[in-house]
Amino acid sequence: MMKGGGRGGAGVPRCDLCEEPSVYLDRVRGCHLCGEHFLRDVEGRVRRTIWDFRLIRPGERVAVALSGGKDSTVLIHLLRRILLGAGDVSLTAITVDEGIAGYRDATLQVARETVARLGVGHRVVSFGDLAGSTLDAMVSAGEDHPCSLCGIHRRNALEAAAAEIGATAIATGHNLNDQAQTVLMNCLRGDLPGFTRPPVSDGTAHGIRRIKPLFRIPEKEVALYGMVAGIYRELPECPYAATALRSEVRRMVDRLEHLRPGTLGRIVRGQEEVAALFARAAGKTGNEPDPDP
Ligand code: SF4
């Protein structure tokens, strides 16, 4: 796309597309971008992902899973910008409160501020209401794998709330790092159905498609987008995060990406090809969501 970064008089790297100071060196494509061109570049790639995979269709009612963390906050801002002219597509945010003391309250507050700023409808659902207990209470009662349990309840809560508001798609903030981790975790677990699933959609429930518009954007670019756009907030980390297999896989792929830039993209593209092969063998297009499990 672009060639290596230019340098200003004082040795400050400059944007490859204008004379402004660079805020980002893309080590994979070998280019420097200023704040404005970086924002446009990320928006363009998300727009292309939505277009290439027909993620959002005319008349769609999209429920955005908004935890209040950086990924989902950037996602809802991007969707709002990208869909601004698409008057027949509506957005509603859904936040799931798992009941994790010292963590969820802070992100819930950010989620509330975000929807107020964007003028987007918001629904909050809690584990307490749906499962009769908070995640903290389940862990205190002896639950050893909080992330597995959390994932199941959160998915159910999101789908129930999305069905209630008549959503046709649930958009989640999974980024390229998340996607690469998922590919490797499916390998480590020997989960063939998971490994061969199309990357942009992890299936449907009650006829509602699950879509991942950020799956081609690396985590550091999502964070930088939030900073440059002025919407990034430092937030506490979930106290249970370190217990998950994903944490170990995350460390491994982050290290590989640092040593060999482009590793994340190669993992995800390789899996995309495998998924497409399996879909063709099964007579599907590869971009279609799986039928209800
Ligand atoms: Fe749930 Fe685990 Fe994520 Fe915490 S880190 S919110 S427990 S999935």
Side-chain angles (χ1 to χ4, degrees):
M1 164 196 169
M2 294 163 261
K3 297 192 299 296
R7 291 213 162 249
V12 178
R14 298 276 164 187
C15 177
D16 279 353
L17 297 176
C18 68
E19 285 304 306
E20 292 298 311
S22 164
V23 299
Y24 183 57
L25 167 61
D26 184 329
R27 293 172 67 210
V28 178
R29 291 181 290 171
C31 62
H32 278 281
L33 292 173
C34 66
E36 187 56 37
H37 281 116
F38 173 76
L39 293 180
R40 279 201 231 160
D41 182 63
V42 172
E43 283 164 21
R45 282 186 285 144
V46 174
R47 205 182 285 271
R48 257 194 320 276
T49 302
I50 292 172
W51 177 259
D52 286 351
F53 293 90
R54 293 187 67 237
L55 289 188
I56 298 175
R57 300 159 190 180
E60 194 105 76
R61 178 153 204 182
V62 182
V64 182
L66 179 67
S67 69
K70 70 176 187 318
D71 298 308
S72 62
T73 301
V74 166
L75 172 68
I76 197 165
H77 272 87
L78 274 168
L79 290 182
R80 188 81 168 76
R81 278 182 73 100
I82 290 170
L83 299 172
L84 213 51
D88 59 346
V89 175
S90 73
L91 292 180
T92 305
I94 299 175
T95 303
V96 179
D97 179 0
E98 304 91 346
I100 304 172
Y103 165 64
R104 187 48 81 208
D105 291 349
T107 60
L108 191 51
Q109 181 57 28
V110 173
R112 290 201 166 106
E113 291 168 12
T114 299
V115 293
R117 195 173 334 121
L118 295 177
V120 169
H122 191 205
R123 182 162 299 213
V124 180
V125 283
S126 75
F127 279 17
D129 293 341
L130 289 165
S133 176
T134 64
L135 190 67
D136 281 345
M138 295 178 204
V139 172
S140 297
E143 172 55 50
D144 285 337
H145 301 288
C147 286
S148 304
L149 197 66
C150 180
I152 294 165
H153 284 307
R154 185 144 36 86
R155 192 180 179 106
N156 291 342
L158 258 180
E159 286 170 358
E164 250 179 64
I165 62 170
T168 50
I170 299 173
T172 60
H174 293 97
N175 57 47
L176 181 68
N177 297 55
D178 297 321
Q179 191 65 30
Q181 292 155 19
T182 299
V183 170
L184 293 182
M185 285 166 66
N186 284 331
C187 282
L188 295 172
R189 291 178 175 138
D191 179 354
L192 187 65
F195 186 75
T196 55
R197 200 171 286 147
V200 287
S201 168
D202 57 0
T204 61
H206 318 298
I208 307 171
R209 291 153 43 243
R210 294 176 64 96
I211 58 173
K212 305 175 192 173
L214 303 185
F215 93 98
R216 283 182 164 159
I217 310 295
E219 183 176 11
K220 67 181 176 189
E221 293 186 10
V222 175
L224 183 60
Y225 185 98
M227 289 175 197
V228 175
I231 53 175
Y232 182 86
R233 297 270 289 273
E234 275 298 336
L235 289 165
E237 198 185 354
C238 175
Y240 305 121
T243 64
L245 169 64
R246 187 174 285 276
S247 290
E248 289 173 45
V249 174
R250 174 182 292 129
R251 277 194 291 276
M252 183 174 76
V253 293
D254 284 356
R255 186 167 170 277
L256 287 171
E257 176 67 22
H258 178 71
L259 293 172
R260 297 176 179 79
T263 299
L264 293 168
R266 287 190 289 276
I267 293 171
V268 171
R269 278 195 302 279
Q271 189 272 341
E272 267 182 77
E273 285 174 22
V274 172
L277 278 176
F278 267 72
R280 273 202 292 280
K284 294 193 283 182
T285 65
N287 291 337
E288 293 167 354
D290 285 350
D292 274 343

